[in-house]
């Protein structure tokens, strides 16, 4: 029987929940205490989420690198149920020096070391999905992707993805990886739609497209209704939150879209996951596309 694409989707050869959990808010500025973060991850697992997205750069100070990966490993280890079907996707190539800034290092030497460190923090033999976090202007893109290919060939990672990539880079990565590129993670939301070409390309190639900040980002998710009246109006008509409607709209755009809303509270990730049960008509999707 074919999988219900409303509830599950595929990344490479792995079936995952159609909505994932973006774990970044649990480790950067404004992060909650560990107990609430672990409760949020457990709530996501209880709801049925089987994709958790993290990165080694999701931390706050210069001395707590990998905070988010360590947190996820702890939450999975302390969960009472079976987690064997949970895909943890992490990333390398972005750095946080500790002053609030973000920098890049896409050198093969750095990526090899970063992947090893992520392996240890996650406590796995091979990383489920490893994504090159962001192109580094100091390193040729083909060299960075070549390093990801080497990790794949060595069995350090099970699947390879890229993030913050344009269509040319998607095609280049697919070629360098020998057709083994399984995902692209780009910013996409009602306010940020310039990744439509990448979404369309992934749809045509059969590659998963993972929108990051699908609700507009940590600081603006609560303002979604005020900033986007069409989403507010339809959500009110349907009796759901504008955030849930937004995720349902993304799911309706392509069977390859898997949003990864960030969350740091159990109630918000439960509401996000409920988007899988919200079916929109073609007319409703078209109206939101045009909004």
């Amino acid at each position: 029987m074919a999988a219900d694409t409303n509830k599950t989707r595929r990344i490479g050869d792995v079936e995952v929940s159609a909505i994932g959990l973006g774990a970044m808010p649990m480790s950067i500025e404004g992060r909650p205490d560990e107990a609430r973060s672990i409760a949020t991850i457990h709530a996501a697992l209880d709801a049925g989420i089987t994709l958790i997205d993290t990165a080694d750069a999701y931390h706050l100070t210069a001395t707590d690198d990998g905070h988010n990966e360590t947190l996820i490993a702890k939450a999975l280890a302390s969960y009472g149920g079976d987690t064997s079907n949970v895909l943890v996707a992490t990333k390398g190539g972005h750095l946080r020096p500790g002053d609030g800034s973000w920098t890049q290092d896409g050198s093969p030497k750095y990526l090899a070391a970063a992947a090893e460190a992520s392996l240890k923090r996650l406590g796995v033999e091979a990383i489920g999905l490893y994504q090159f976090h962001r192109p580094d202007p100091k390193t040729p893109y083909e060299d960075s992707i070549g390093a990801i290919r080497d990790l794949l060939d060595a069995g350090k990672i099970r699947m390879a993805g890229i993030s913050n990539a344009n269509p040319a880079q998607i095609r280049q990565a697919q070629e360098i990886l020998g057709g083994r590129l399984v995902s692209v993670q780009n910013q996409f939301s009602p306010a940020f739609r310039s990744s439509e070409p990448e979404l369309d390309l992934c749809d045509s190639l059969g590659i998963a497209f993972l929108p990051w900040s699908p609700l507009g980002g940590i600081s603006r998710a609560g303002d979604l209704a005020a900033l986007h009246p069409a989403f507010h109006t339809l959500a009110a008509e349907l009796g759901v939150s504008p955030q849930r409607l937004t995720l349902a709209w993304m799911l309706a755009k392509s069977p390859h879209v898997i949003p990864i809303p960030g969350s740091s509270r159990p109630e918000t990730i439960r509401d996000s996951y409920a988007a899988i049960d919200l079916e929109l008509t073609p007319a409703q999707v078209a109206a939101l596309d045009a909004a």
Side-chain angles (χ1 to χ4, degrees):
M1 181 182 293
D4 182 345
T5 55
N6 280 338
K7 296 187 183 296
T8 64
R9 300 202 165 176
R10 298 196 74 81
I11 298 178
D13 61 357
V14 178
E15 189 174 301
V16 298
S17 53
I19 298 285
L21 168 64
M24 184 177 79
M26 302 179 209
S27 291
I28 64 168
E29 289 80 359
R31 68 191 187 191
D33 60 49
E34 185 177 277
R36 195 178 95 187
S37 292
I38 289 177
T40 300
I41 296 169
H42 286 177
L45 298 171
D46 287 342
I49 286 176
T50 58
L51 171 65
I52 302 176
D53 181 77
T54 182
D56 59 359
Y58 295 164
H59 59 92
L60 187 56
T61 71
T63 57
D64 70 344
D65 353 5
H67 177 275
N68 202 243
E69 292 175 325
T70 302
L71 175 70
I72 289 167
K74 185 172 183 177
L76 290 173
S78 63
Y79 185 63
D82 180 18
T83 60
S84 61
N85 65 335
V86 176
L87 176 64
V88 176
T90 192
K91 299 180 284 293
H94 230 341
L95 298 84
R96 298 204 79 195
D99 60 0
S101 67
W102 295 79
T103 59
Q104 293 89 39
D105 190 343
S107 66
K109 181 179 179 181
Y110 175 79
L111 289 172
E116 287 287 353
S118 291
L119 268 172
K120 290 183 174 66
R121 284 189 290 263
L122 292 171
V124 295
E125 293 182 4
I127 295 170
L129 171 60
Y130 196 69
Q131 304 155 99
F132 179 42
H133 203 154
R134 185 178 290 275
D136 174 11
K138 304 181 301 299
T139 304
Y141 196 67
E142 59 267 26
D143 292 354
S144 299
I145 302 303
I148 304 296
R149 177 197 59 213
D150 293 346
L151 290 168
L152 196 56
D153 290 343
K156 301 282 187 181
I157 65 176
R158 290 187 53 242
M159 296 187 292
I162 56 177
S163 184
N164 301 299
N166 62 35
Q169 289 166 334
I170 294 171
R171 293 188 178 93
Q172 185 180 15
Q174 179 72 313
E175 182 180 351
I176 293 169
L177 291 167
R180 294 177 292 173
L181 179 68
V182 300
S183 65
V184 174
Q185 183 179 146
N186 275 19
Q187 184 175 7
F188 184 71
S189 69
F192 191 96
R193 305 196 191 191
S194 58
S195 284
E196 287 267 13
E198 289 84 9
L199 190 162
D200 292 341
L201 177 58
C202 287
D203 191 46
S204 68
L205 295 174
I207 293 171
F209 182 84
L210 282 53
W212 63 262
S213 287
L215 304 177
I218 298 169
S219 62
R220 304 187 75 180
D223 299 327
L224 197 151
L227 294 170
H228 306 284
F231 285 79
H232 169 71
T233 300
L234 182 55
E237 288 176 9
L238 297 174
V240 299
S241 70
Q243 292 79 14
R244 190 187 304 186
L245 173 67
T246 297
L247 297 173
W249 165 66
M250 291 186 181
L251 292 175
K253 291 181 75 66
S254 162
H256 300 292
V257 171
I258 307 171
I260 46 171
S263 185
S264 62
R265 292 186 294 135
E267 54 268 33
T268 55
I269 195 57
R270 289 191 198 104
D271 185 71
S272 290
Y273 182 71
I276 66 169
D277 293 319
L278 180 58
E279 292 191 29
L280 303 179
T281 67
Q284 289 168 334
V285 174
L288 296 176
D289 284 344

